[in-house]
Amino acid sequence: QEVAIAMGIHAGDFSIYPDCREEFRQADLEAFRIGNWGSELVSFYTPYLEVTKLEILEDGLKCCEQLSLNFDEVYVRTNTSYKPIQFQTPIGPRWYSDYKSAASVERIEAFIKLGRRDPVAYANESGPVKWEVAKSHVEKILAEHNNK
């Protein structure tokens, strides 16, 4: 069966992350093809390569509406953070997104621009934090950046 895998690389990624650059993706695909039988049935595409995280969220909203899915229920299950933080809870360990890494800041900025609260749980080194703490941190970074 043929399968197409969408990669979530967006317009800001390839300039920052080496694994999001075209030469890496091509080498990765070649290694996949060499190492797997039936690999000719698998293709990759990058539908968000030319758009921002805000535009990805806007597309996510449209898709959730079309599929009658709850946007927050879908996005609470995503993690953009490259530095997730684990804390013990009464029911066991739980992973949280950080809100200070570049990927997390960019995600939070997109939710701010979308006018929605990010449903993901955030934390810092001390423990879980409310959305308002993560949002305030990012707003401060954005204000400092805009004043330069």
Side-chain angles (χ1 to χ4, degrees), residues 119-132:
V120 153
Y122 284 98
N124 61 25
E125 306 76 28
S126 302
V129 300
K130 294 183 178 194
W131 159 247
E132 290 74 23

Side-chain angles (χ1 to χ4, degrees), residues 53-63 71 113-114:
K53 280 195 177 184
L54 172 60
E55 292 168 299
I56 294 170
L57 289 179
E58 290 170 338
D59 187 48
L61 269 173
K62 283 190 269 181
C63 290
F71 178 85
K113 288 178 178 177
L114 189 64

Side-chain angles (χ1 to χ4, degrees), residues 6-115:
M7 300 177 77
I9 301 166
H10 69 86
D13 285 343
F14 53 84
S15 63
I16 300 170
Y17 306 112
D19 62 335
C20 294
R21 295 181 182 145
E22 184 63 26
E23 59 270 19
F24 176 87
R25 293 187 307 110
Q26 288 303 321
D28 192 40
L29 176 59
E30 183 61 22
F32 174 80
R33 297 239 184 271
I34 292 168
N36 292 281
W37 290 298
S39 62
E40 69 279 356
L41 298 173
V42 180
S43 62
F44 298 91
Y45 67 105
T46 53
Y48 298 120
L49 193 59
E50 303 296 325
V51 301
T52 66
K53 280 195 177 184
L54 172 60
E55 292 168 299
I56 294 170
L57 289 179
E58 290 170 338
D59 187 48
L61 269 173
K62 283 190 269 181
C63 290
C64 285
E65 287 172 10
Q66 291 172 349
L67 297 168
S68 298
L69 297 173
N70 181 306
F71 178 85
D72 289 337
E73 287 298 318
V74 171
Y75 279 83
V76 75
R77 290 170 173 77
T78 65
N79 184 347
T80 303
S81 177
Y82 282 104
K83 296 179 183 179
I85 302 169
Q86 187 182 55
F87 284 100
Q88 191 64 33
T89 71
I91 59 171
R94 179 173 178 194
W95 286 97
Y96 296 82
S97 288
D98 82 301
Y99 57 90
K100 298 177 183 177
S101 66
S104 295
V105 167
E106 198 172 8
R107 174 188 171 119
I108 293 167
E109 177 186 15
F111 270 94
I112 291 169
K113 288 178 178 177
L114 189 64

